Amino acid sequence: MTDYDVLAEVYEWLISDAKLPPAEFAASFDDVLSLLPSNAHVLDCSCGTGQLAVGLAGRGMQVVATDASEAMVRRTAELSEEFGASVRAMRATWEELPDHFEDGTFDMVFCVGNALHHAAGAPGRVAALESMSRLLRPGGRLVLTSRAWELVRSMGSRLDISDRLVRRNGRDAVVVYRWEIAPHWEEEHHIEIAIAQFDATGRVLVRSELLSCWPYRYEELELELHRVGLRTDVSTFEREADNYMVVASKI
Ligand SMILES: C[S@@+](CC[C@H](N)C(=O)[O-])C[C@H]1O[C@@H](n2cnc3c(N)ncnc32)[C@H](O)[C@@H]1O
């Protein structure tokens, strides 16, 4: 069961130093953001703890931030308050988005940071992409970042343990990823993430969550984007790289 409600409490230990400040997270999308008017309507549809949404609001955009996890949405609302940002944060899964917004509401939709693999297989993924596409105005763009599952699967099941302590809010932690790679692409895979924090007295507090995911090949994603009425404008996919970004516009 993927819900992120446990990880939400300690999610900053999973975000890179570079993306922790909201302005810097948003700046990592400067190229695509330069295509928008400054008061554009944007949606971050898997907002996590809200760094991107708050960074976009800081640029004057009208931002809606949604996520399937109630705890993530709460953290996004707290971060917005902390930064005095105007972000409308609400709980909604990708499939539920069309119940809340008219078709064509947004100039840009973001689905970033390895979220889409949580959609249940090809049918779940197409349903999620269909929702995102519906909410875009004609010519609007979906910005999606993804793990390159071609590479992840080639490394098989394994344990990745951070080789340095990650320090956040004055507290050090070791971060562990356990990858459970199924024999076939279409099957449910798992990633177990554990964050072991040490306090000043040397006690260890472990928080962990088992996440379900359904990998996809880049070629499949391209076809699926096309199927839901999106045309790929930019892709940074490369066989040897860990992650890639796709920008696709609504036809
Ligand atoms: C790896 S986190 C990425 C968070 C954020 N975008 C970032 O870059 O830090 C994946 C997020 O996707 C959300 N998510 C998973 N399944 C979802 C669904 N069906 N609909 C909407 N959000 C979902 C999770 O709750 C989680 O916050």
Side-chain angles (χ1 to χ4, degrees):
M1 176 65 190
T2 295
D3 62 21
Y4 275 90
D5 284 353
V6 175
L7 288 181
E9 283 177 56
V10 286
Y11 196 70
E12 47 273 73
W13 276 266
L14 300 177
I15 300 183
S16 67
D17 293 348
K19 293 194 174 166
L20 212 47
E24 288 183 35
F25 202 144
S28 68
F29 294 104
D30 269 348
D31 286 353
V32 280
L33 291 174
S34 67
L35 303 168
L36 293 177
S38 58
N39 61 350
H41 285 79
V42 296
L43 167 68
D44 182 356
C45 70
S46 42
C47 62
T49 41
Q51 279 74 13
L52 175 60
V54 170
L56 294 171
R59 291 176 173 228
M61 293 178 185
Q62 321 275 310
V63 184
V64 177
T66 57
D67 197 285
S69 156
E70 194 74 63
M72 287 296 202
V73 172
R74 194 170 49 244
R75 291 220 50 195
T76 294
E78 286 165 6
L79 191 75
S80 306
E81 205 176 313
E82 189 188 319
F83 279 78
S86 171
V87 170
R88 181 174 165 207
M90 57 183 279
R91 204 209 70 85
T93 64
W94 298 310
E95 293 81 352
E96 291 165 348
L97 287 170
D99 301 338
H100 299 282
F101 303 98
E102 304 270 312
D103 288 3
T105 299
F106 296 100
D107 299 299
M108 197 165 269
V109 173
F110 288 86
C111 179
V112 302
N114 307 313
L116 188 64
H117 60 217
H118 295 308
R125 203 162 52 244
V126 171
L129 293 171
E130 174 82 55
S131 288
M132 297 172 205
S133 174
R134 275 182 63 173
L135 299 195
L136 282 168
R137 64 161 170 81
R141 292 174 177 86
L142 171 67
V143 179
L144 197 142
T145 64
S146 177
R147 283 188 198 289
W149 274 96
E150 290 80 351
L151 195 63
V152 176
R153 275 189 50 84
S154 73
M155 292 189 281
S157 295
R158 66 191 185 282
L159 207 57
D160 279 345
I161 304 174
S162 59
D163 54 7
R164 64 173 184 94
L165 293 175
V166 180
R167 192 171 187 79
R168 299 281 184 258
N169 312 330
R171 193 171 267 215
D172 289 324
V174 170
V175 177
V176 178
Y177 282 77
R178 186 176 68 80
W179 299 87
E180 214 179 282
I181 305 297
H184 303 290
W185 275 90
E186 324 51 60
E187 291 174 81
E188 182 173 347
H189 291 43
H190 293 98
I191 309 174
E192 187 168 15
I193 303 180
I195 292 156
Q197 296 177 334
F198 308 97
D199 72 11
T201 67
R203 271 185 318 199
V204 182
L205 174 63
V206 183
R207 302 249 208 9
S208 70
E209 202 164 344
L210 184 66
L211 306 172
S212 295
C213 45
W214 286 263
Y216 46 86
R217 298 175 183 85
Y218 172 70
E219 285 81 7
E220 282 175 274
L221 177 65
E222 270 229 307
L223 288 173
E224 290 163 0
L225 288 169
H226 199 250
R227 228 173 108 186
V228 302
L230 297 168
R231 187 195 55 220
T232 307
D233 294 335
V234 177
S235 161
T236 63
F237 176 74
E238 277 177 39
R239 215 148 271 284
E240 299 309 317
D242 292 334
N243 295 284
Y244 58 91
M245 177 177 79
V246 177
V247 181
S249 52
K250 177 80 173 275
I251 299 165

